[in-house]
Amino acid sequence: MVRLHVKRGGESQFLLEAPGSARLAELAPLVARIHNGRLKVQRLCSEMEELAEHGVSLPYNMQGLTDEQIQELKLKDEWAEKCVPSGGSIFRRDEMGRRNGFAPNEKMQQVIKKTIEEAKALISKKQVQANVCVNMEMVKDALEQLRGAVMIVYPMGLPPHDPVRMELEDKADLSGTHAGTEVIKESEAQLWWAGKQLEETKLLSDYIGKNEKTTIIVKIQKKGQGAPGREPVISHEEQKEMMLYYHRRQEELKKLEEEDDDSFLNAEWADSHALKRQFHGVKDIKWGPR
């Protein structure tokens, strides 16, 4: 299996294994699917952290309003009484005014937070450093873990307007948001390797040969974005090591220039009378007060 080190821009995303016989018309959409799935897990984790801290989302017409404004407009959150977390709630006001403030108790909060940590670890970029490949099954597993935690804490379900429920039901509207720009439609996905666009009509082996035990860096782009930036000749860590070596070398040269050429005459081995004094037993005699 060929190992693909997938990057977006200059940043590592995940590792993926694929046979050399894989058709790029199928491989590019798969890479996009995993990429988008990882983004979905990250968005869901972010919203679930808010859910654990401040409870369910307020209706759109109540978000951002003060208590006085809500009373003046005679608005009521019909979902507040329906969506009470298991074990009761504790009040933690949401300063952003997006959620109703009735957060789950400490035990249920830990259920959500622990699941978030586990889901993040499954799709983390650190998996690249650990040499662990990510596949679509792992992404689905992370999503199911998050779904399960929500069902444990809110067995009755969340309001239809809650971002967590909308993400789980694939109803989130990302248009006009930064998160939306990060998503790559499967039909618009392109892979690049070594400055070349990998054409959909070809196989992976048409570019890398028959060697199945190799790792290549591929970059995923949207069609029409042009070629991504090339990989640097040396890595960031190698560049740091070179700069450190250069700095140390400069310090050594500077120190040599500051020293006198005859400074060695002060060294003990350059004393022509040292052997004579040693035989006379007067080697360590010092004159003057101590």
Side-chain angles (χ1 to χ4, degrees):
M1 299 287 277
V2 179
R3 181 161 292 187
L4 307 178
H5 180 173
V6 180
K7 289 190 173 185
R8 174 71 165 145
E11 193 172 357
S12 295
Q13 300 296 321
F14 57 93
L15 299 177
L16 173 67
E17 285 187 335
S21 59
R23 292 191 174 276
L24 290 161
E26 299 173 356
L27 185 57
L30 173 61
V31 173
R33 205 174 308 134
I34 296 174
H35 171 74
N36 295 336
R38 292 178 64 255
L39 292 176
K40 185 181 186 69
V41 171
Q42 292 167 6
R43 294 195 304 270
L44 191 51
C45 287
S46 178
E47 287 295 346
M48 285 180 63
E49 288 172 354
E50 293 297 315
L51 177 68
E53 290 293 328
H54 304 295
V56 300
S57 178
L58 288 167
Y60 295 125
N61 62 344
M62 295 177 63
Q63 292 185 14
L65 300 180
T66 63
D67 293 340
E68 292 76 15
Q69 290 171 326
I70 291 174
Q71 290 178 0
E72 184 179 345
L73 295 171
K74 297 180 180 180
L75 300 176
K76 184 178 179 181
D77 181 7
E78 298 178 354
W79 293 93
E81 296 179 0
K82 298 178 183 178
C83 301
V84 178
S86 299
S89 62
I90 54 178
F91 188 75
R92 288 181 178 173
R93 181 180 297 278
D94 181 9
E95 298 300 330
M96 300 297 293
R98 294 178 65 236
R99 297 183 173 275
N100 65 12
F102 293 100
N105 61 32
E106 293 294 335
K107 183 178 179 180
M108 292 296 104
Q109 282 185 33
Q110 288 305 312
V111 169
I112 294 177
K113 292 179 179 180
K114 183 178 179 181
T115 306
I116 288 173
E117 290 179 5
E118 293 173 352
K120 282 183 175 180
L122 273 176
I123 54 91
S124 172
K125 294 176 182 178
K126 292 181 180 179
Q127 296 282 50
V128 175
Q129 301 171 2
N131 208 29
V132 175
C133 292
V134 175
N135 52 42
M136 201 59 212
E137 285 67 31
M138 293 172 68
V139 174
K140 290 179 180 178
D141 188 25
L143 290 171
E144 287 305 312
Q145 287 184 27
L146 295 171
R147 187 191 304 275
V150 173
M151 291 179 65
I152 290 172
V153 182
Y154 292 93
M156 75 297 295
L158 295 172
H161 55 268
D162 194 291
V164 173
R165 177 172 171 177
M166 295 177 73
E167 283 287 0
L168 289 172
E169 295 181 352
D170 296 325
K171 295 180 180 178
D173 183 10
L174 302 178
S175 57
T177 65
H178 174 68
T181 62
E182 295 180 325
V183 174
I184 300 176
K185 293 181 180 179
E186 293 179 27
S187 59
E188 298 179 356
Q190 278 185 340
L191 297 180
W192 291 74
W193 171 67
K196 300 175 184 177
Q197 178 186 331
L198 306 186
E199 298 179 13
E200 297 177 352
T201 57
K202 295 186 177 182
L203 304 177
L204 184 58
S205 59
D206 292 336
Y207 291 94
I208 65 170
K210 301 297 182 181
N211 185 5
E212 292 277 335
K213 296 182 179 180
T214 186
T215 300
I216 63 171
I217 295 176
V218 298
K219 295 190 176 182
I220 184 170
Q221 290 273 94
K222 291 181 181 179
K223 289 181 179 178
Q225 284 188 328
R230 283 182 171 271
E231 285 294 296
V233 177
I234 59 174
S235 67
H236 181 63
E237 291 299 322
E238 289 173 334
Q239 186 179 18
K240 285 170 60 177
E241 289 294 329
M242 289 176 64
M243 292 298 294
L244 181 61
Y245 172 80
Y246 175 77
H247 177 73
R248 287 174 176 170
R249 183 61 178 162
Q250 288 293 99
E251 290 296 318
E252 290 175 0
L253 292 174
K254 184 179 178 181
K255 186 176 181 181
L256 288 173
E257 289 177 358
E258 291 175 352
E259 291 180 351
D260 295 330
D261 292 339
D262 58 354
S263 59
F264 69 90
L265 295 175
N266 296 323
E268 184 177 349
W269 56 266
D271 186 356
S272 59
H273 301 289
L275 183 61
K276 181 180 178 180
R277 286 200 299 271
Q278 184 175 357
F279 280 120
H280 284 86
V282 294
K283 178 182 178 183
D284 296 326
I285 295 176
K286 294 183 180 179
W287 303 101
R290 296 189 178 182

